[in-house]
Amino acid sequence: MERAAQGADGGGGSNSSSRSSSRATSAGSSPSCSLAGGGVSSRSAVAGLGGGGSRSSPGSVAASPSGGGGRRREPALEGVLSKYTNLLQGWQNRYFVLDFEAGILQYFVNEQSKHQKPRGALSLSGAIVSLSDEAPHMLVVYSANGEMYKLRAADAKEKQFWVTQLRACSKYHMETSSKMMNQVEGQQKNLVHAIESLPGSGPLTALDQDLLLLKATSAATLSCLGECLHLLQQSVHRAGQPGHKPGASENILGWHGPESHSTEQLRNGTLGSLPAASANVTWAILPNSAEDEQSPQPEPEPNSGPELVLSEDEDSDTEDKEETELGAMEDQRSIILHLISQLKLGMDLTKVVLPTFILEKRSLLEMYADFMAHPDLLLAITAGATPEERVICFVEYYLTAFHEGRKGALAKKPYNPIIGETFHCSWEVPKDRVKPKRTAPHSPASHEHPMAEDPSKSYKLRFVAEQVSHHPPISCFYCECKEKRLCVNTHIWTKSKFMGMSVGVSMIGEGVLRLLEHGEEYVFTLPSAYARSILTIPWVELGGKVSISCAKTGYSATVIFHTKPFYGGKVHRVTAEVKHNPTNTIVCKAHGEWNGTLEFTYSNGETRVIDTTTLPVYPKKIRPLEKQGPMESRNLWQEVTRYLRLGDIDAATEQKRLLEEKQRVEERKRENLHTPWRPKYFIQEGDGWVYFNPLWKAH
């Protein structure tokens, strides 16, 4: 850093040796200074640096008179630092100005241009300032919005001075934000109290729709802001700990979306607090949100065990899949608003009873079956000639499975299965349709429902699902094709969280695809799901990183479901990468939209595009209601479904209440008799659940 005497002419903001010249000019000009005093003199600033570093000039006084007798603050610190631009231009001298009061670090081409528009600016509230050994005397500033400045000072003393000042500025504005949040929280509480104190009747009541909207949005906004502030405070705290060095690409929050949660986390008890942001209800895509606390525990028929479900009794499903727009139900809007206004950020929604009109007309167990709507792609996996081709086929199937499992873009919530509930169905797939995607001849896109005229010319894929646990809510499903010697066994715990303007559902657990012909097992996890814009017309997106791996072959895949950024960006994006771990070779990459077009690029340079909206859909076959058992999903929920179809919400709610009350009575019976619940089709093995008679044990 230049001595004060060397800079007395005020001429040199930069020099050829890229040494920086920093001048302290106002409040915050030394490591121990404060804004409270209204600024310190240049003389004391120099003294605070031990007699060296900053330059003083007539124009750098702490405060100067203004027209009305007020005081005007000058920048806290300014001078030349080297800034890393890019690989081509490398390090370049730039003139930096730290505005302590505004909490902004700006830079200009040189000192002469500092009164013009800055070349760049970085907000320091919640920023992380860390040292780096990438280059001599280097520091890195990570802004809360994800931007990053790599800077280099002239020597160690000047570097430490900038680091101290930048950290002090960041801390000051973080504390200011906390104080503002406390004030706003108090004002919001006063607002809520004023609304709830209104009379129950008259021209303006506590249930006025506009007031409920104000109450709900203010609570949700405050919750989101509070969570953001908490995340920033955590990041700043971590940055202050010894040895913490954020990587060059690390985001300020250190988090890029929700991770899928495996059985390992379930076993280790590390899921007490799931991520509250992101990442990404579908109330319909996977929910165990609301009524779980009310969900009853049914008593099965005495001595009932696994029953034989005759596929000969099954007929093609003709169930209406259309769902009513939530936005059209304006008369129900006040109920949602009132409900949301009572929720807290991160609240577990199993403790909240959601209104009946947001329910989708199917059980969660059936929704899992609807993810199997492209069974030809699933069965084609085992037809792959090599391990590489088989793992790629599985990734292709996995990425195309989610579109058909959703019923349109609306975020509605399936019925939460009650313990003991089951769902059975099957698919018949013409044998000539089962070919690996990469080797299958190209055929015109069609959304037809392919059917096999001759059962002997088709494969049969059977599916059974069961709700095996209530606390936590765990669903299991198993499907198999004996002819192809393929089966899938999956257990999922769904956990819902309120996130302000969204509801998030994490799917905890894992599935295993077994290809018995090849002796391969593919372990996979599932993404989180989100219902966005819950105050208007909710829509669904998926988010998080999931994994697929096969220990025998050494192949694995990473799939990332990208949630939409706050500003701009596309929705429903997904990317995937398939790798052969022993050789660290990437054999396939994919990108696109999980409910639209996906493009796959293979190791040989070939590409293939799959449009999920035009893939043929195979209707599931299901027994008619009169042949279903009392605990099968459609039979169990038939009255609720019937009234929802008729639009009679009150009657549907009453049927749901009667069903739940009946089951609560049976649950109390079991508790009094100290009788544990025994699932019908699944057995707990370790931390997972396995079908009682799986294909790999039968053969």
Side-chain angles (χ1 to χ4, degrees):
M1 186 180 291
E2 294 181 0
R3 302 285 183 184
Q6 290 175 308
D9 60 354
S14 63
N15 55 38
S16 59
S17 65
S18 79
R19 294 178 61 81
S20 66
S21 171
S22 304
R23 66 176 73 189
T25 60
S26 182
S29 58
S30 71
S32 60
C33 72
S34 165
L35 273 175
V40 296
S41 67
S42 301
R43 184 185 300 264
S44 65
V46 174
L49 280 172
S54 48
R55 301 184 305 169
S56 61
S57 66
S60 64
V61 293
S64 60
S66 60
R71 298 176 65 83
R72 176 172 58 88
R73 294 188 188 277
E74 294 290 338
L77 184 65
E78 59 184 60
V80 175
L81 292 170
S82 291
K83 179 179 181 294
Y84 184 80
T85 306
N86 53 47
L87 285 173
L88 293 177
Q89 297 176 305
W91 294 91
Q92 295 182 316
N93 286 355
R94 292 290 181 259
Y95 196 81
F96 281 82
V97 175
L98 168 62
D99 188 330
F100 200 102
E101 185 174 12
I104 296 175
L105 178 65
Q106 300 175 321
Y107 74 89
F108 306 83
V109 174
N110 50 44
E111 183 177 6
Q112 289 71 33
S113 64
K114 72 175 184 177
H115 298 295
Q116 301 173 8
K117 182 179 179 180
R119 295 290 296 270
L122 208 61
S123 173
L124 294 177
S125 179
I128 294 175
V129 184
S130 63
L131 304 177
S132 174
D133 53 9
E134 285 186 41
H137 316 308
M138 179 176 163
L139 60 138
V140 186
V141 184
Y142 300 87
S143 176
N145 65 4
E147 290 188 75
M148 174 185 64
Y149 284 0
K150 288 185 177 182
L151 307 175
R152 199 168 67 188
D155 53 39
K157 182 182 290 186
E158 183 170 356
K159 174 187 71 173
Q160 189 56 50
F161 180 54
W162 274 98
V163 168
T164 302
Q165 292 300 302
L166 291 168
R167 285 178 175 172
C169 183
S170 172
K171 181 180 178 182
Y172 171 79
H173 285 278
M174 180 65 74
E175 291 174 348
T176 302
S177 298
S178 297
K179 293 175 183 177
M180 291 177 61
M181 279 297 301
N182 290 335
Q183 294 174 357
V184 173
E185 284 178 3
Q187 294 171 351
Q188 200 268 341
K189 287 180 181 178
N190 292 338
L191 171 67
V192 171
H193 178 73
I195 293 175
E196 293 179 347
S197 299
L198 290 171
S201 60
L204 189 63
T205 72
L207 295 179
D208 180 85
Q209 249 191 50
D210 290 337
L211 291 181
L212 285 172
L213 179 61
L214 176 61
K215 184 179 168 186
T217 52
S218 65
T221 302
L222 187 63
S223 295
C224 289
L225 290 174
E227 181 69 8
C228 291
L229 180 62
H230 177 66
L231 290 171
L232 289 175
Q233 289 170 333
Q234 284 183 325
S235 298
V236 172
H237 175 71
R238 286 196 302 268
Q241 294 176 340
H244 178 83
K245 292 184 179 180
S249 62
E250 182 179 348
N251 184 282
I252 183 72
L253 301 182
W255 183 74
H256 301 274
E259 294 284 340
S260 292
H261 304 288
S262 66
T263 305
E264 186 68 24
Q265 293 168 293
L266 199 63
R267 174 166 57 248
N268 295 334
T270 57
L271 287 168
S273 177
L274 293 173
S278 148
N280 155 353
V281 338
T282 133
W283 288 354
I285 201 168
L286 281 168
N288 250 333
S289 57
E291 50 210 335
D292 271 0
E293 189 65 19
Q294 309 299 324
S295 285
Q297 314 300 317
E299 185 71 24
E301 299 169 14
N303 303 318
S304 63
E307 60 190 21
L308 180 63
V309 175
L310 299 175
S311 59
E312 290 78 8
D313 294 336
E314 295 175 337
D315 295 322
S316 293
D317 184 23
T318 57
E319 194 85 1
D320 178 22
K321 293 188 177 183
E322 295 302 318
E323 288 293 333
T324 307
E325 286 275 349
L326 279 177
M329 299 183 177
E330 288 298 327
D331 54 330
Q332 309 290 347
R333 184 176 178 80
S334 61
I335 301 175
I336 282 285
L337 292 174
H338 185 66
L339 173 65
I340 292 175
S341 70
Q342 308 299 314
L343 303 179
K344 302 296 183 184
L345 194 70
M347 179 181 287
D348 185 348
L349 293 184
T350 59
K351 308 225 175 358
V352 180
V353 179
L354 295 181
T356 304
F357 71 86
I358 69 164
L359 295 178
E360 187 178 348
K361 297 183 285 289
R362 62 173 172 172
S363 171
L364 176 62
L365 299 184
E366 181 172 353
M367 193 190 72
Y368 288 134
D370 289 335
F371 284 123
M372 312 290 292
H374 305 306
D376 54 330
L377 298 184
L378 176 64
L379 298 181
I381 298 171
T382 194
T386 64
E388 177 181 323
E389 188 169 351
R390 288 191 291 274
V391 70
I392 291 175
C393 284
F394 184 31
V395 173
E396 290 175 343
Y397 164 74
Y398 186 95
L399 291 178
T400 58
F402 295 96
H403 167 65
E404 197 59 34
R406 292 283 313 119
K407 292 187 178 182
L410 287 176
K412 300 187 80 173
K413 185 187 149 328
Y415 309 138
N416 283 337
I418 58 179
I419 195 167
E421 179 181 337
T422 62
F423 182 81
H424 303 264
C425 68
S426 67
W427 294 266
E428 289 185 356
V429 186
K431 292 183 177 180
D432 59 359
R433 296 273 187 152
V434 179
K435 299 174 183 176
K437 264 290 176 188
R438 292 176 66 184
T439 58
H442 179 74
S443 58
S446 171
H447 206 61
E448 63 178 353
H449 294 171
M451 299 293 290
E453 295 180 3
D454 183 355
S456 66
K457 296 181 180 179
S458 66
Y459 295 116
K460 171 80 78 173
L461 184 67
R462 296 174 175 85
F463 177 96
V464 59
E466 182 178 10
Q467 190 72 8
V468 298
S469 173
H470 181 51
H471 291 298
I474 299 176
S475 306
C476 298
F477 67 84
Y478 173 84
C479 66
E480 68 175 26
C481 178
K482 291 183 178 179
E483 299 94 328
K484 297 294 286 183
R485 302 189 65 206
L486 169 152
C487 62
V488 179
N489 191 101
T490 305
H491 64 274
I492 303 169
W493 167 23
T494 53
K495 191 174 182 67
S496 303
K497 291 287 184 181
F498 176 64
M499 296 161 49
M501 294 298 180
S502 304
V503 173
V505 180
S506 295
M507 291 186 274
I508 306 159
E510 64 186 23
V512 180
L513 165 69
R514 288 177 170 84
L515 307 181
L516 302 184
E517 181 180 342
H518 305 286
E520 296 170 357
E521 295 183 2
Y522 296 83
V523 181
F524 60 93
T525 55
L526 295 165
S528 296
Y530 303 87
R532 306 297 194 190
S533 305
I534 57 178
L535 286 180
T536 53
I537 300 178
W539 57 279
V540 173
E541 72 171 338
L542 302 178
K545 181 189 293 186
V546 303
S547 62
I548 299 170
S549 61
C550 178
K552 178 181 178 179
T553 65
Y555 282 96
S556 67
T558 299
V559 181
I560 300 177
F561 292 86
H562 301 268
T563 55
K564 183 183 181 299
F566 190 77
Y567 291 110
K570 295 182 178 180
V571 295
H572 309 312
R573 287 183 56 240
V574 63
T575 55
E577 187 176 271
V578 184
K579 180 187 289 188
H580 184 239
N581 295 299
T583 59
N584 200 32
T585 303
I586 296 174
V587 298
C588 177
K589 287 187 175 183
H591 67 91
E593 293 81 42
W594 58 265
N595 60 351
T597 301
L598 296 161
E599 181 176 337
F600 295 83
T601 303
Y602 308 108
S603 56
N604 61 3
E606 293 180 2
T607 61
R608 186 179 186 91
V609 175
I610 299 177
D611 185 349
T612 63
T613 64
T614 61
L615 288 175
V617 175
Y618 292 74
K620 57 183 179 287
K621 302 187 73 174
I622 187 169
R623 289 175 298 161
L625 287 177
E626 60 271 16
K627 293 188 178 182
Q628 292 187 19
M631 294 305 297
E632 292 191 54
S633 296
R634 288 196 180 176
N635 195 12
L636 186 67
W637 295 96
Q638 64 172 313
E639 289 303 306
V640 178
T641 300
R642 183 167 72 89
Y643 283 114
L644 284 176
R645 290 186 188 284
L646 294 172
D648 192 337
I649 303 302
D650 292 339
T653 302
E654 176 61 16
Q655 289 297 322
K656 178 170 166 285
R657 187 194 66 79
L658 291 173
L659 177 62
E660 292 169 346
E661 182 57 33
K662 176 177 180 291
Q663 307 309 323
R664 280 192 208 96
V665 171
E666 293 172 348
E667 179 184 15
R668 286 192 291 269
K669 280 184 187 177
R670 274 202 317 279
E671 289 177 351
N672 293 335
L673 294 173
H674 303 288
T675 304
W677 173 258
R678 293 179 59 187
K680 181 178 289 188
Y681 295 105
F682 291 86
I683 302 167
Q684 188 167 14
E685 290 189 0
D687 298 294
W689 292 81
V690 177
Y691 186 60
F692 81 103
N693 186 30
L695 197 59
W696 69 86
K697 290 184 178 179
H699 289 69

